[in-house]
Amino acid sequence: MGKNKKNKHKQKSHLPFRLNVVFFVVFLLFAGIILQLGVVQILNGEEAQDEIDRTENTTTSIPVPRGEMYDRYGRVMVDNQPLYSITYTPPKGVQPDDKLALAEELSQYIDMEYEDKLTDRDLREYYFLKNEKEVRSRIEDEDTSNLDNGEVYQLQLDSITDEEISGFDSQTKEIIAIKKELDQAYALAPHVVKNSNISEKEYSTVAENLAKLPGINVTSDWERTYPYDSLFRSYIGNITSREQGVPRDQLDYFMSLDYSRNDRVGTSGLEQQYEEVLRGTKEKVQYETDKNNNVINSKVIREGQRGKDIVLSIDVELQKRVNQILQDELLKAISKAPGENRNLKNSVAVVSNPNTGEILAISGQTYNRNPEEGESRFSNTSHQAVYNAYTPGSAVKGATILTGLHEGAISPGTRINDKKIKIGSDASKGSYTPNIGVVNDIQALQQSSNVYMFFLAMYLGGEYGNRYTMPSLSLKEGTFENFVYNFNQFGLGVETGVDFPYEGIGVEGGPISKPGQILDFSIGQFSTYTALQLNQYVSTIANGGKRLKPRLVKSIHEPSITDDLGAVYKDYSPQVLNQLEMDQSYIERVQEGFRQVFQTSQGTASSVFSKEPYAQYRMAGKTGTAEVTQYKPDGNGGTTIIKNLLNKTLVGYAPYDDPEIAFSIITPYLGDQATSTFNVSNNIGARIGQAYFELKEQRADKGIEMNNSEEAEEEE
């Protein structure tokens, strides 16, 4: 019994020790937890809280419609047509599988064109997503340790056979096409999935199912429309599509200006020239996302504004009439002498306000001798007025006379006997009308004396003997350069400064190899000029000596929510590029010579301009005929040379005592026997003057002012 008491006592004494161990272990555990909580709370508490609260701000830009274009009287020439649009704004971190699932869902509600849009790679990428595990296994045995992820992915795509991607049905291809559009979207930036041929049913069905289509939205988009169809289109220019986006060779430039890759930009014409104002201001939205890339807040940090509107200098009604006049006169000349004018096919014309430089109409028309089925007999080639340069002939003699007067080679009233001259073994050189007789500077313009210009050039070069036959001709060094310098003052041989991405300036004819070529230069038989250069030249004479910068745009306006134009953002005043160095009295003599060309019986254009119905408009100007050779591809890699052709040119303005318009016309490659009957340019010029003044009279009856003559300012 005593033994049992002893054992019980031992058991009781051992139990508290075990409890103490347990309590001690628990104490240590709690102490460790408390210590860890203290470390987290005290040392890392702020960092942990930041991780819990971590968010990220991302700013995206939303495109806006481009500005519109109007003619000088407010008629819309370029508009934006609203379109139904389905867009996709992907969250950050969205995965390819998510986009594929979205594409499959969206394909139930919309029809997507896929013809000519899907590439071989698009098909392979779709197959990969649908069979990823099996495709990955195909290259497991290959050593890919030295390859990056992109190279490994390409190996996987290459393992997919042509047979495996050849059997996709139309529904599957629609899904692939939709997935391709979704892939082009940038995180948190709206991307147009479809904006053409969207039916009301498609639009409403997608709108009703937005809850099933994460990131998809229905909104509106726009596309350019042209109420006057092809009228003036070669100068309006083009923009890229969303599929094209910004030009790849200018990607860095545009991205630095806050463009997105799929933004539409101007690539030619005025769309390109005025891209900065037409593009508008994108709306900027700031998105706040949590660590799981969920958008938790958004705010607009800059309101968007569509592009500014442009008012062109063009008069739509006059432009239409000029186009028609060129077509009529080309067809008339070709029909009357089809054999003689078999190489005649086009004509160009520029009409401007000589007091402001504003271009009122600019046209080029090309006759298609063998149109294909459905093709028009005429093509609009108005760009030729700025791009193509031709030998002008006597139209430039106003610049020749003013050069001679200014440089002292001749004096006002200097008289020269017009009869042929012969230099060495060269062929005789004379006027188009032989043996005109004795003429002064004004009469030389009136009757288009070549011989007068020849002697002027020789006087300018230091050859003062009135010899009509000479063994050789030696002109002092710098004579040609002197001519060129003076011609440049009129805009001949230099850029006109027109607000357009590109313009041709012609060629000076190459280096002078013999003095006789300087004589050719004096009568417009050496260098080439564009119709726009000729227009600037005759405008400079018409307005008394100011070379004005030609303009296709009058003003830029803030966008408006009404049908009226918004406030003026920028108004382009006339800009004087340079003032002629010539004495004003010399310019007036040339003006008188130009008047006599059109209005007196001996004038080279009087048979048209001094007769009704054109005489009433009191026009003045200068005709030109240049003997040219045409070089045409023969279709076999060679060149066909056609000699003895004529360029018929005309420059003019009206009225001669207070000019409102200036015009220049070039009609190249008429037959070598072309007479005034077939002088297309003279007929075109006369009808252009008539069209302008008829429109002026019609508008006066309605209280509309036809033309504005602002004070031109010297450009610094």
Side-chain angles (χ1 to χ4, degrees), residues 379-677:
S379 301
N380 190 323
T381 52
S382 297
H383 61 278
Q384 292 184 3
V386 173
Y387 291 176
N388 290 17
Y390 301 94
T391 309
S394 300
V396 300
K397 285 178 179 175
T400 302
I401 290 292
L402 280 168
T403 298
L405 290 169
H406 175 66
E407 298 293 343
I410 60 172
S411 301
T414 294
R415 296 166 66 83
I416 294 172
N417 187 12
D418 182 298
K419 60 181 183 179
K420 288 187 177 182
I421 67 171
K422 183 170 176 56
I423 303 171
S425 60
D426 291 346
S428 297
K429 302 169 76 73
S431 299
Y432 191 72
T433 301
N435 302 319
I436 292 174
V438 178
V439 291
N440 62 19
D441 49 331
I442 293 176
Q443 293 166 327
L445 291 172
Q446 175 201 42
Q447 300 176 58
S448 200
S449 170
N450 287 347
V451 176
Y452 195 98
M453 308 303 153
F454 295 156
F455 275 99
L456 184 156
M458 288 189 284
Y459 296 162
L460 187 66
E463 178 64 61
Y464 289 102
N466 286 341
R467 295 179 295 167
Y468 290 85
T469 302
M470 58 194 83
S472 63
L473 177 64
S474 178
L475 302 181
K476 64 184 179 184
E477 186 176 350
T479 301
F480 180 67
E481 290 73 17
N482 195 351
F483 252 135
V484 170
Y485 170 77
N486 281 280
F487 271 50
N488 289 170
Q489 290 190 52
F490 297 90
L492 297 172
V494 294
E495 290 185 350
T496 65
V498 66
D499 51 337
F500 202 66
Y502 172 80
E503 66 167 311
I505 60 172
V507 294
E508 293 296 353
I512 296 293
S513 60
K514 54 184 179 179
Q517 291 174 315
I518 298 179
L519 274 57
D520 294 336
F521 179 91
S522 72
I523 63 169
Q525 279 285 168
F526 191 69
S527 298
T528 64
Y529 307 117
T530 67
L532 185 61
Q533 287 176 316
L534 290 177
N535 187 275
Q536 188 177 56
Y537 147 71
V538 75
S539 295
T540 303
I541 292 174
N543 67 38
K546 295 177 181 179
R547 183 167 79 96
L548 296 171
K549 182 176 183 177
R551 295 217 65 89
L552 291 166
V553 170
K554 279 175 60 69
S555 57
I556 301 172
H557 295 252
E558 297 287 356
S560 172
I561 59 175
T562 69
D563 292 336
D564 298 326
L565 280 168
V568 174
Y569 170 77
K570 185 170 185 178
D571 193 8
Y572 291 102
S573 301
Q575 290 184 324
V576 179
L577 300 180
N578 62 270
Q579 177 78 42
L580 291 184
E581 298 173 358
M582 291 80 175
D583 187 275
Q584 191 64 35
S585 65
Y586 298 162
I587 299 173
E588 291 171 0
R589 291 188 70 82
V590 171
Q591 290 173 338
E592 174 57 21
F594 278 17
R595 186 193 70 81
Q596 292 192 20
V597 170
F598 279 23
Q599 300 299 329
T600 62
S601 60
Q602 290 184 297
T604 55
S606 63
S607 62
V608 175
F609 289 92
S610 67
K611 306 293 190 299
E612 294 299 343
Y614 309 119
Q616 61 184 304
Y617 306 121
R618 307 193 319 278
M619 292 185 259
K622 184 70 189 76
T623 57
T625 301
E627 299 176 3
V628 294
T629 299
Q630 186 180 27
Y631 299 88
K632 298 170 62 175
D634 62 5
N636 298 314
T639 301
T640 299
I641 301 175
I642 307 171
K643 297 183 177 181
N644 301 320
L645 297 178
L646 300 177
N647 290 348
K648 287 290 187 177
T649 61
L650 182 77
V651 296
Y653 51 88
Y656 54 72
D657 52 353
D658 187 18
E660 297 179 28
I661 60 164
F663 48 84
S664 58
I665 300 103
I666 303 176
T667 309
Y669 309 129
L670 285 87
D672 64 350
Q673 298 300 316
T675 65
S676 58
T677 304

Side-chain angles (χ1 to χ4, degrees), residues 70-74 270 274 309-315 353 356-360 499 551-557 568 570-574 706-710:
Y70 299 80
D71 90 329
R72 65 187 299 110
Y73 295 109
L270 295 172
Y274 288 91
D309 297 327
I310 284 178
V311 174
L312 305 175
S313 63
I314 295 299
D315 177 348
N353 180 339
T356 65
E358 293 171 356
I359 297 173
L360 307 177
D499 51 337
R551 295 217 65 89
L552 291 166
V553 170
K554 279 175 60 69
S555 57
I556 301 172
H557 295 252
V568 174
K570 185 170 185 178
D571 193 8
Y572 291 102
S573 301
M706 181 72 169
N707 225 337
N708 297 316
S709 297
E710 304 174 37

Side-chain angles (χ1 to χ4, degrees), residues 107-172:
S107 69
Q108 300 178 44
Y109 310 122
I110 67 172
D111 294 323
M112 193 72 171
E113 293 182 5
Y114 57 84
E115 295 293 343
D116 302 323
K117 288 187 176 182
L118 300 181
T119 65
D120 181 79
R121 184 180 180 89
D122 296 330
L123 302 179
R124 292 178 187 276
E125 288 182 340
Y126 173 79
Y127 186 91
F128 175 83
L129 286 174
K130 300 297 287 185
N131 305 274
E132 184 173 352
K133 184 176 181 181
E134 190 271 329
V135 173
R136 287 182 182 275
S137 68
R138 296 179 183 181
I139 64 168
E140 288 179 349
D141 295 336
E142 296 192 32
D143 182 9
T144 59
S145 58
N146 295 324
L147 302 179
D148 60 30
N149 291 338
E151 292 170 327
V152 172
Y153 181 56
Q154 186 60 54
L155 278 178
Q156 293 166 345
L157 293 183
D158 291 342
S159 71
I160 300 171
T161 66
D162 293 340
E163 290 75 15
E164 288 172 326
I165 62 173
S166 62
F168 294 140
D169 58 22
S170 59
Q171 178 63 27
T172 301

Side-chain angles (χ1 to χ4, degrees), residues 230-231 319-335 344-349 363-368 376-382 667 680 684 687-688:
S230 62
L231 188 79
Q319 179 72 41
K320 288 195 289 189
R321 293 198 184 193
V322 171
N323 286 354
Q324 190 62 53
I325 289 168
L326 264 62
Q327 292 181 12
D328 291 346
E329 295 302 325
L330 278 172
L331 185 59
K332 187 188 300 181
I334 292 170
S335 300
L344 169 62
K345 67 175 184 177
N346 66 291
S347 185
V348 292
S363 179
Q365 300 295 316
T366 296
Y367 180 80
N368 301 321
S376 172
R377 175 62 75 177
F378 284 95
S379 301
N380 190 323
T381 52
S382 297
T667 309
V680 184
I684 289 172
R687 291 185 60 188
I688 285 175

Side-chain angles (χ1 to χ4, degrees), residues 33 91 207 233 275 520:
I33 292 172
R233 280 287 285 114
E275 170 67 25
D520 294 336

